[in-house]
Amino acid sequence: MEYHLTLPVVKEDIRKLKIGDIVYVTGGVFTARDEAHHKMLQKDKTLDFDPSEMALYHCGPLMKKEKGTWHVVSAGPTTSSRMEIFEDEFIKKFGVRMIIGKGGMGERTKKALQKYICVYTSYTGGAGALAADKVEEVNGVYWLEELGMPEAVWLFTVKDYGPLVVAMDSHGNSIYKQ
Amino acid sequence: MDEASIERGIVSLIKKAETELPEDVIVALKKAGQIEKGVAKTQIETILRNVDLAKQSQRPMCQDTGIQTFFVTVGSDFPYISRIKKWITNAVKKATKEVPLRPNTVDPLLDKNQGDNTGDYIPYITWDFVDGNQIEIIAFPKGGGSENMSKLGMLKPGVGIEGVKDFVVEEMIKAGGNPCPPTVVGVGIGGGADLSLKLGKKALLRPVGKRHKDKMIASMEKELIARINKSGIGPMGLGGKMTVLDVHVEKAHRHPASLPVGIAVQCWADRRATMIIHHDGSWTVK
């Protein structure tokens, strides 16, 4: 099946997705890699954005600032398995419904996807130029100075971002070979 | 000799490597697209669309523009040998702003990003010296996701060459979708720990689809390709027939007690570009 989803999504939208489905997504996404996961899980202070309304994108984008405005140059997914040590806690704490990454994740995340109704989707690794063209707007950046460009949290609005493959669904299924 | 011109040349070398995939890799990806079906085919199609867009818009095909890695072959009669490292380092800093490149050099102790793709030992340059009066520079930007799947095995010589092949196949299956398959795998056998890994990485410079001139090694490469692709891991680990585009093997003589096997993994974005600097400072990027 092919779906076109607009964020934020509700549990029912996620439940209908099965491994092998194709998804195109429109709406808000935030990037978070190892350092950002670590930071967001540690910080007690409230965030200026609501992660539950956005897709979590495992991505360290290549950005360029022109005339004071940030533009995306290339922004494909990074290897998701690095975030395995954080992800179940992250899903629990922030209530994210959709993860975009590549390469797949492990057992802990698989269980959390099922328990908290979330889905892991795969975008084609390395397809950074194509992905950048789906970003309509850069809405902000957090911890840029401290973490550097790849590890900072970037907020994007994307349009028809995909094709994403549902690789781990909320029913305990994974497309990846064990 | 115009140093500014040479540095501009190296910037254009880096830009070419980051934005234009070599033709041999494109041919291999197109073949892979014909073999695959369904979701796997979608991955290859997306890759090829991305490759076209990157070239046409002159943007890096992948946001991970890699650790700036260069293989430099120096003709020992080239008159400005002592300047080469400086040219490359300056060009990397310029390319970071102009191409642009993602700042990818982090101090491992301080976790601080240097911001300009240089740092301790980086850009990483491998030097080779030959007769002649010109310089060849191969730019080989190396991404982190595939580099993380590198492996060193200090095998027991008793396991023999069959043990070497099993080790490579098992490690590539373990790597799964992480290194952005379909990958190109470089295998170095023998030497010591560091030399085996170095040979593995140097093996990646060989064009995709080109077999080793030694028939025994060539047949080993074919066997490894077939066995890894039989795993079914497929493009991006989503299942399919093409897990590797190619496997390249190189060997060095080993110590009687050691059988080192170094595996260097390259994602589908097997980025390479070559530049020649002539003795008078004129240059060409191909």
Side-chain angles (χ1 to χ4, degrees):
Chain A
M1 288 286 284
E2 185 176 307
Y3 295 93
H4 291 255
L5 296 178
T6 301
L7 295 158
V9 285
V10 292
K11 282 183 186 175
E12 286 63 41
D13 294 324
I14 298 306
R15 280 207 184 96
K16 69 186 176 193
L17 301 176
K18 305 273 161 56
I19 55 168
D21 285 345
I22 300 289
V23 178
Y24 291 83
V25 70
T26 296
V29 304
F30 68 101
T31 69
R33 306 200 340 162
D34 319 50
E35 296 280 337
H37 273 73
H38 190 231
K39 207 164 181 66
M40 285 173 73
L41 283 172
Q42 273 191 337
K43 285 266 169 176
D44 290 330
K45 71 170 186 182
T46 49
L47 299 164
D48 296 346
F49 61 97
D50 183 357
S52 73
E53 296 191 337
M54 300 180 200
L56 158 59
Y57 189 15
H58 294 155
C59 171
L62 167 55
M63 308 291 294
K64 188 174 190 176
K65 201 172 197 174
E66 278 171 326
K67 294 173 187 160
T69 310
W70 284 106
H71 299 279
V72 188
V73 180
S74 198
T78 193
T79 310
S80 298
S81 60
R82 293 200 317 276
M83 274 60 80
E84 175 68 9
I85 52 174
F86 306 108
E87 211 68 299
D88 53 354
E89 271 303 301
F90 198 91
I91 294 168
K92 183 182 171 190
K93 180 172 176 183
F94 296 109
V96 292
R97 294 261 171 257
M98 180 181 266
I99 302 170
I100 303 166
K102 67 147 176 111
M105 300 194 73
E107 277 303 309
R108 278 170 56 186
T109 301
K110 197 163 96 176
K111 285 197 180 112
L113 295 175
Q114 199 169 6
K115 189 168 176 187
Y116 302 107
I117 318 297
C118 180
V119 71
Y120 174 84
T121 63
S122 165
Y123 185 65
T124 309
L130 209 54
D133 279 8
K134 304 285 183 182
V135 178
E136 294 229 299
E137 217 175 331
V138 180
N139 301 313
V141 57
Y142 296 88
W143 307 304
L144 176 60
E145 208 36 53
E146 189 182 343
L147 300 181
M149 186 191 292
E151 299 291 335
V153 170
W154 295 90
L155 269 53
F156 301 146
T157 302
V158 299
K159 191 166 175 5
D160 284 324
Y161 181 65
L164 304 171
V165 178
V166 175
M168 296 167 77
D169 63 24
S170 62
H171 307 280
N173 303 308
S174 170
I175 210 167
Y176 301 101
K177 297 207 170 214
Q178 295 308 305
Chain B
M1 192 267 302
D2 179 354
E3 290 197 289
S5 159
I6 293 170
E7 285 180 11
R8 275 201 304 280
I10 301 172
V11 171
S12 68
L13 170 75
I14 295 168
K15 184 165 187 172
K16 188 173 170 72
E18 299 281 1
T19 59
E20 296 180 34
L21 200 60
E23 195 52 37
D24 54 282
V25 188
I26 294 176
V27 167
L29 284 167
K30 283 183 178 162
K31 262 190 218 164
Q34 285 161 7
I35 291 166
E36 296 290 13
K37 292 191 181 75
V39 163
K41 194 183 183 73
T42 309
Q43 302 308 303
I44 303 290
E45 284 169 353
T46 304
I47 288 170
L48 288 168
R49 276 214 312 279
N50 180 66
V51 167
D52 278 349
L53 177 65
K55 184 178 179 180
Q56 167 213 322
S57 63
Q58 287 289 289
R59 271 186 293 160
M61 62 191 85
C62 180
Q63 74 291 337
D64 182 359
T65 48
I67 283 285
Q68 293 302 308
T69 306
F70 299 89
F71 290 84
V72 180
T73 305
V74 182
S76 50
D77 291 327
F78 183 76
Y80 313 106
I81 292 175
S82 66
R83 302 296 300 155
I84 302 169
K85 192 176 174 186
K86 191 78 195 157
W87 293 336
I88 292 176
T89 307
N90 285 345
V92 164
K93 289 179 185 173
K94 271 187 200 152
T96 300
K97 285 187 186 148
E98 288 174 19
V99 176
L101 309 177
R102 194 176 72 180
N104 268 353
T105 46
V106 178
D107 183 305
L109 300 186
L110 305 173
D111 272 349
K112 181 79 191 154
N113 194 316
Q114 180 96 351
D116 64 2
N117 279 304
T118 70
D120 297 341
Y121 292 96
I122 311 289
Y124 178 41
I125 305 172
T126 298
W127 300 92
D128 210 353
F129 290 85
V130 295
D131 290 338
N133 61 4
Q134 63 180 30
I135 305 284
E136 182 197 68
I137 304 178
I138 300 175
F140 186 74
K142 187 65 180 66
S146 56
E147 188 72 4
N148 285 345
M149 296 299 117
S150 310
K151 270 286 174 295
L152 170 67
M154 298 302 287
L155 306 188
K156 292 184 171 59
V159 302
I161 210 67
E162 288 306 316
V164 171
K165 289 189 271 190
D166 290 347
F167 175 70
V168 174
V169 173
E170 280 161 24
E171 289 303 327
M172 285 307 94
I173 291 173
K174 270 194 235 165
N178 290 304
C180 281
T183 54
V184 183
V185 178
V187 181
I189 307 170
D194 58 340
L195 180 53
S196 69
L197 280 165
K198 190 76 183 191
L199 285 173
K201 194 159 272 184
K202 277 187 128 171
L204 296 175
L205 300 177
R206 200 198 311 161
V208 171
K210 192 173 175 192
R211 296 273 61 79
H212 199 285
K213 58 182 187 298
D214 180 317
K215 277 187 183 153
M216 200 176 154
I217 296 178
S219 96
M220 184 177 169
E221 289 173 347
K222 280 194 243 175
E223 182 187 335
L224 287 170
I225 294 165
R227 283 177 63 184
I228 298 170
N229 282 341
K230 228 179 125 189
S231 71
I233 290 165
M236 296 302 141
L238 298 169
K241 296 192 174 84
M242 296 301 292
T243 306
V244 288
L245 293 174
D246 209 348
V247 178
H248 294 159
V249 178
E250 295 293 336
K251 71 173 167 84
H253 281 65
R254 61 175 178 83
H255 184 282
S258 305
L259 179 51
V261 182
I263 307 176
V265 188
Q266 177 68 306
C267 52
W268 65 257
D270 184 14
R271 295 167 289 189
R272 291 171 261 127
T274 306
M275 175 187 193
I276 303 289
I277 308 174
H278 304 283
H279 68 282
D280 60 356
S282 64
W283 53 267
T284 46
V285 169
K286 50 182 180 183

